Amino acid sequence: MTTLTLAKALNEGMRKAMEDDPKVLVMGEDVGKLGGVFRVTDGLQKDFGEDRVIDTPLAESGIIGTAIGLALRGYRPVCEIQFDGFVFPAADQIITQLAKMPLRSLGAIRLPVVVRIPCGGGIGAVEHHSESPEAYFTHTAGLRVVACSNPADAYTMIQQAIRCDDPVVFFEPKRRYWDKAEVDTSPGEGDWPAFDQARVARSGADITLLAYGPMVKTCLEAAAAAEEDGRSVEVVDLRSLNPLDMPAVAESVRRTGRCVVVHEAPVFSGYGAELAARITEECFYSLEAPVLRVGGPSTPYPPSRLEEHYLPDLDRVLDAVDRSFAF
């Protein structure tokens, strides 16, 4: 067991993938000599060379378009979108080409491209640096969409994403980059959880909190606080957003009878809306209360001095728990 930050766990995971497969490439803005703005790719260019860790121009559409061409030639590109809000210039390539080309070719073409996106707020950044764009991509058929929440998952999931023959959008919670935890770097992939498998982060009996990425830690803190009031709260880390591990979600909700979905993105048309609808359809007769949602307001992400009022926190999660028990 090695103690790693989430950022370092991603770095070690990519390093292992590059050692195992010479076709794995890392590319993006400042990923080489600088090691990325969050230093997630630190040292990779020094160890693997400029041909495999490529500093690109500031052109997100060009990064993804080039990665598609490389994948067609047998490579496995790992693209870094420097900040979440920068992904939108690349949306055409991701949605129109990357997601659709395998079906367009009736499976003859595989595009094993990973698009890494540091996501979410909480770092005091300027505009376009604190977005939560996951719903855009979960709505796009043909993409796998995953989100790690802790160093152990970061280490294994980035390797699984790179080995996957499908295009993967990989969300990384940037305000959790510096969180530390023990990571087992010894086992092989056979010992890892399945790539599309949810994880029960905390067992409970009275209510289920569903979260992913940066909100998992917030929900765990809320569950610990709720325990002082005598409430047993289960926290499920979804990990994979598309495909969704619905059997794991349904098992938890049917057992507890109550559910709150938590994410940073705006509540309106957010990913939580899909979760609430699916749970209502499949678990209706087990529910003691409506599925509630906690997220950002329907407004552009605010200046940094206001973000603490925008982001869901422990109190807002506990308020939703109280409202659920009020039914």
Side-chain angles (χ1 to χ4, degrees):
M1 303 294 286
T2 306
T3 300
L4 299 174
T5 64
L6 192 149
K8 185 62 175 176
L10 288 166
N11 180 286
E12 291 295 323
M14 284 188 282
R15 179 180 297 277
K16 182 67 165 63
M18 296 182 77
E19 290 171 349
D20 291 344
D21 186 351
K23 292 291 188 178
V24 176
L25 309 176
V26 173
M27 54 194 297
E29 299 161 7
D30 297 319
V31 299
K33 292 181 180 177
L34 182 66
V37 292
F38 295 104
R39 304 300 185 265
V40 175
T41 56
D42 188 39
L44 295 182
Q45 188 180 79
K46 175 179 175 294
D47 294 338
F48 294 98
E50 295 183 5
D51 291 338
R52 294 188 65 193
V53 182
I54 304 162
D55 279 318
T56 67
L58 276 64
E60 286 77 14
S61 182
I63 293 169
I64 304 303
T66 301
I68 291 171
L70 286 164
L72 290 170
R73 298 293 294 176
Y75 291 93
R76 292 183 176 269
V78 182
C79 305
E80 178 180 297
I81 302 297
Q82 194 172 72
F83 283 92
D84 34 45
F86 299 175
V87 73
F88 300 112
D92 179 31
Q93 292 286 352
I94 295 172
I95 295 170
T96 308
Q97 305 299 338
L98 187 60
K100 293 180 171 57
M101 197 173 289
L103 181 60
R104 187 185 301 151
S105 66
L106 298 180
I109 292 173
R110 310 301 296 179
L111 293 178
V113 176
V114 179
V115 182
R116 293 180 41 244
I117 305 178
C119 67
I123 63 167
V126 296
E127 191 179 20
H128 309 307
H129 291 67
S130 301
E131 307 295 323
S132 298
E134 62 271 14
Y136 292 101
F137 299 110
T138 58
H139 185 69
T140 302
L143 299 174
R144 287 181 180 264
V145 182
V146 300
C148 62
S149 68
N150 60 81
D153 276 349
Y155 177 75
T156 58
M157 290 175 68
I158 191 62
Q159 294 182 68
Q160 290 170 313
I162 294 169
R163 296 176 189 177
C164 182
D165 286 332
D166 301 321
V168 179
V169 178
F170 194 100
F171 284 103
E172 303 166 6
K174 67 171 80 75
R175 65 167 154 156
R176 308 301 186 202
Y177 272 146
W178 302 277
D179 289 0
K180 293 182 178 181
E182 288 193 338
V183 177
D184 189 350
T185 58
S186 59
E189 189 169 2
D191 299 312
W192 299 344
F195 191 36
D196 56 2
Q197 179 181 331
R199 174 181 70 95
V200 177
R202 180 187 174 110
S203 298
D206 298 335
I207 189 170
T208 298
L209 301 182
L210 298 179
Y212 52 89
M215 284 290 101
V216 173
K217 183 176 181 179
T218 302
C219 286
L220 288 170
E221 293 169 350
E227 187 176 34
E228 298 177 5
D229 295 330
R231 288 174 176 162
S232 176
V233 178
E234 180 148 298
V235 178
V236 177
D237 180 357
L238 296 177
R239 300 173 77 249
S240 176
L241 307 186
N242 190 13
L244 170 67
D245 187 0
M246 191 60 199
V249 171
E251 190 282 327
S252 178
V253 174
R254 289 188 182 117
R255 182 163 35 79
T256 65
R258 301 177 190 275
C259 181
V260 176
V261 182
V262 185
H263 54 57
E264 284 192 17
V267 169
F268 184 78
S269 291
Y271 184 70
E274 172 67 19
L275 288 173
R278 291 282 300 277
I279 292 166
T280 302
E281 289 172 359
E282 299 189 26
C283 307
F284 182 78
Y285 292 106
S286 300
L287 291 172
E288 300 290 339
V291 180
L292 301 180
R293 292 174 289 157
V294 178
S298 188
T299 180
Y301 198 89
S304 59
R305 69 179 62 185
L306 298 176
E307 69 177 350
E308 66 180 280
H309 303 291
Y310 179 95
L311 291 170
D313 59 10
L314 181 147
D315 290 334
R316 284 168 60 186
V317 175
L318 290 177
D319 177 69
V321 170
D322 290 340
R323 285 189 286 122
S324 180
F325 278 97
F327 282 94

